[in-house]
Structures are given as C-alpha cells and as structure tokens.
Amino acid sequence: MSPILLIIYQLKSHWRLFCRQTTPKDTTVDDPQAHTPPAIGPFKAAEPTCVVQHTATEAFVCSVMAAIRSPATPLLLACSMLAFVGSLHAGSIAIYWGQNGNEATLAETCASGNYKFVIIAFLPTFGNGQTPMINLAGHCDPYSNGCTGLSRDIAACQRAGIKVLLSIGGGVGSYYLSSREDARRVAAYIWSNFLGGSSSSPRPLGDVVLDGVDFDIEGGTDKHWDELAGFLKAYSNRGKKVYLSAAPQCPFPDAWIGEALTTGLFDFVWVQFYNNPQCQYSSGNTKNMADAWKQWTAIHATKVFLGLPAAPQAAGSGFIPAEELISHVLPIVKRSDKYGGIMLWSKYYDELTGYSSKVKHYV
C-alpha cells in the first residue's frame, strides 16, 4: 500500500470525531472553502475548486476526508495535500525600494501588505576616506537633507511589523574598505546615522532607528566585509538588535562577500538568482537553480531567500513567470528549513507586473 493510501486508510475511521472536535458549533467562518466540516449532520464535500490556503494540520485532515467522500476526489485531494505542504515552510517577501522616483512612496509600499522586509537602496558611497552619501534616485535630495522626511514613513512601516533595512553598496557606486580600521569607522558612521546611535549633524533619514543593514556588495573589494559585519552586529549589545542581510550572486561562493557569509552573523541572505544563467531557473529546467539553492541553504544563516527580478526588464536574465514560480520553483526551495521566502528587485518593477500580489499567497 502506498504511503498516501496508508494515511488515508488510517484516518478514515477517525475523521468524524477529529473534525467535530476541531470545529466548535458556534464558530463563525468567513471563508466556506477554508473551514472544517460542521459538528452535526452528514459530511458534505465542497465543490471541486482548488483554493490553496495555509491551513493548520487539523484543517488538512478534514479536507482530505472531504476529498475521499467527493466525486472529485483526485482534484480535492491534490489541493489538500498542496495546502498542507505549503504550510510547512511558509515564507515572506522582501523588496528593494528607492532606486526609481516613479515607484510608490515608502509608506504606500508598506501599506500594500505584500512585504515583510523593505530594503532602502542605497548607501553607495563610503569607505577609504570618502564622505558617506545615500542615493535614493528621485525620491529625495540627500545633499539638502531632503530625505529626513522619510522618518515618518519608516516608523509607519515598523509599526506594521515590517523590518526596514539600509542597503549598502549596489551595482553602481564608490565603496571600498581599505582596512579593519576603515571597517570600524564605516560601522560607527552607520550606527550613528541610521541605527541606534546619535550624530551631531542631521541624520540622512531622520531620527528613526532602522532595523538593520543589508550588504549588496558587487564591487570595490572582497576584503574586510566580515569585519564590518562584526562591528555592526556588536552594536546589538547596546539595545535594539541589529539585523544583517546580504544579497550575494547565486554562483557559490559569492566573489565579494563569500568570506563574510561564513561568519554566521547574517540573519537573512537573499541570493540573486538572476543575471547568472549558470545557476538560475530557465524554461522549466530547475536543476541548476536547485543545485545552487542546496549550496546556499547549507550556509550558517538564519533564513535564505530566493532573489528574483519582479519583471522581465528588471534584469538581463532570470525572470520567472509567476505561474512557473508557483508550480515549478517554490515546491523545490520550500523543502529547506532555511527557506525564508523570496526577494524582489524592485518595487518599481513589481508595480509594472503585480508580481508580489500574484505570488504572495504561495510564498
């Protein structure tokens, strides 16, 4: 007997008691497709409509039994199994914001309800004696302290339970760490101007305290990033935890911050599975992506995210249509305990396609 049939056989004689116990008589259910069977009366299966929801184990068992008694058994059983598997490693969406003045405001981005992490991009100038400077494209002018008004938006995001991080580096910038002491100075600047410290001059984003720092290092040098991460993480001892994230390229290990990622200091790693054909998904072929994902989920980090372009024009290659992400890719990456969700580049491109809205219930 197959494992699935064995489970069904074992559950079949107990389904009435189990489902009655998990559905109180007075419970009001808003979504008739998501609730367990009524406590009294014969069990009636729902119409064979496949709506995948992140349900609890009890709801899964009851829906399996509904499928067994339904003339549409194969479809309903498949949907029930998919719902249960989807609930095992539910993830969230991280989005980069700040590099296109035509995208929604930061407050609107957080109010959409689609994201759990918003990464403000970028601080592209720092290190090696340079005066650090943020660049948020057309959103505000940092040279005239015009970005301090974002403090209100950031605070609103944080009240909604969204972590807001500052991304340092980027694909185009002037950043370079010349020594361990240089890394210490950069960490002190970031702490004083974006995290829990204080500065004698106006802080670029106002007085709000960000949740952490993202390393999007794509140039400069491959040295001293581990030391910068260590100095930043040490500021967690002064109160609010400093989260660290990184956005390496999918070829393993990353050429720039591969060494830093061995420290175990990073909470979130959103790997860029685009612009790298050798390790990204392509036209139904998951092997290269799956092999690289396996390597990345073996690193010492809390959660690993699948980084994707939110629209075809957001990257040179690597865009995955929403339907293929749901059917071909997510079932593979969600097998890992390290799976944290997906990262999208970027908010502007997400608005063009509505990508996050299409996939958020499956991530």
Side-chain angles (χ1 to χ4, degrees):
M1 182 178 294
S2 71
I4 292 179
L5 290 178
L6 180 61
I7 292 173
I8 292 174
Y9 177 80
Q10 291 175 335
L11 291 176
K12 193 170 183 179
S13 61
H14 303 289
W15 70 271
R16 290 180 182 275
L17 176 60
F18 187 90
C19 295
R20 284 172 180 168
Q21 288 177 336
T22 56
T23 308
K25 292 182 181 181
D26 297 330
T27 298
T28 300
V29 180
D30 296 326
D31 184 355
Q33 292 177 327
H35 75 287
T36 49
I40 300 175
F43 193 103
K44 294 183 180 181
E47 292 299 318
T49 300
C50 184
V51 178
V52 178
Q53 305 210 11
H54 295 303
T55 58
T57 304
E58 293 86 352
F60 163 70
V61 173
C62 295
S63 59
V64 167
M65 301 320 302
I68 294 172
R69 291 174 162 261
S70 167
T73 293
L75 176 61
L76 289 177
L77 183 56
C79 295
S80 299
M81 296 290 286
L82 186 57
F84 179 64
V85 172
S87 70
L88 294 179
H89 293 131
S92 54
I93 300 177
I95 192 81
Y96 277 85
W97 177 92
Q99 283 302 292
N100 193 301
N102 294 319
E103 65 196 353
T105 66
L106 188 55
E108 291 168 340
T109 297
C110 293
S112 70
N114 287 356
Y115 318 110
K116 289 298 182 183
F117 301 88
V118 173
I119 311 150
I120 298 177
F122 289 105
L123 176 70
T125 304
F126 61 87
N128 201 30
Q130 301 177 93
T131 300
M133 182 61 66
I134 60 171
N135 183 331
L136 301 182
H139 287 287
C140 55
D141 178 17
Y143 292 93
S144 61
N145 295 322
C147 299
T148 57
L150 289 174
S151 183
R152 293 185 297 272
D153 287 6
I154 294 169
C157 293
Q158 292 173 327
R159 286 194 298 270
I162 299 168
K163 288 183 172 55
V164 183
L165 296 90
L166 171 71
S167 187
I168 64 173
V172 179
S174 175
Y175 50 90
Y176 188 97
L177 295 179
S178 59
S179 65
R180 175 181 175 85
E181 184 57 33
D182 195 19
R184 187 193 303 275
R185 286 193 295 267
V186 170
Y189 170 82
I190 293 174
W191 165 256
S192 299
N193 286 274
F194 297 99
L195 300 175
S198 59
S199 174
S200 58
S201 57
R203 288 163 53 107
L205 300 179
D207 293 333
V208 71
V209 176
L210 299 183
D211 294 289
V213 182
D214 173 63
F215 287 52
D216 184 14
I217 306 304
E218 302 182 40
T221 175
D222 62 351
K223 305 298 183 183
H224 309 296
W225 300 114
D226 55 339
E227 293 165 327
L228 177 61
F231 291 133
L232 287 170
K233 201 68 173 180
Y235 283 117
S236 294
N237 298 328
R238 301 194 183 186
K240 183 177 179 179
K241 178 176 180 178
V242 176
Y243 288 93
L244 296 183
S245 66
Q249 307 289 313
C250 62
F252 186 90
D254 183 78
W256 300 106
I257 55 171
E259 184 176 349
L261 290 173
T262 66
T263 62
L265 296 172
F266 288 83
D267 301 283
F268 315 111
V269 178
W270 10 79
V271 185
Q272 297 183 44
F273 279 85
Y274 50 94
N275 294 332
N276 292 285
Q278 69 270 36
C279 53
Q280 66 193 34
Y281 171 87
S282 176
S283 302
N285 183 355
T286 60
K287 184 180 185 306
N288 292 344
M289 181 275 300
D291 289 345
W293 179 255
K294 184 176 181 180
Q295 290 180 301
W296 280 110
T297 52
I299 69 172
H300 186 26
T302 305
K303 291 295 179 182
V304 179
F305 288 62
L306 186 76
L308 301 171
Q313 55 268 55
S317 64
F319 175 73
I320 305 176
E323 297 78 10
E324 293 183 52
L325 178 75
I326 294 167
S327 62
H328 291 13
V329 177
L330 287 178
I332 294 174
V333 299
K334 294 180 79 169
R335 295 172 189 167
S336 172
D337 291 337
K338 291 281 186 70
Y339 169 77
I342 66 172
M343 173 273 284
L344 296 178
W345 175 268
S346 63
K347 181 63 174 81
Y348 171 74
Y349 293 108
D350 192 26
E351 291 172 10
L352 297 182
T353 61
Y355 198 87
S356 63
S357 295
K358 294 175 183 177
V359 305
K360 67 178 180 179
H361 294 300
Y362 303 91
V363 170

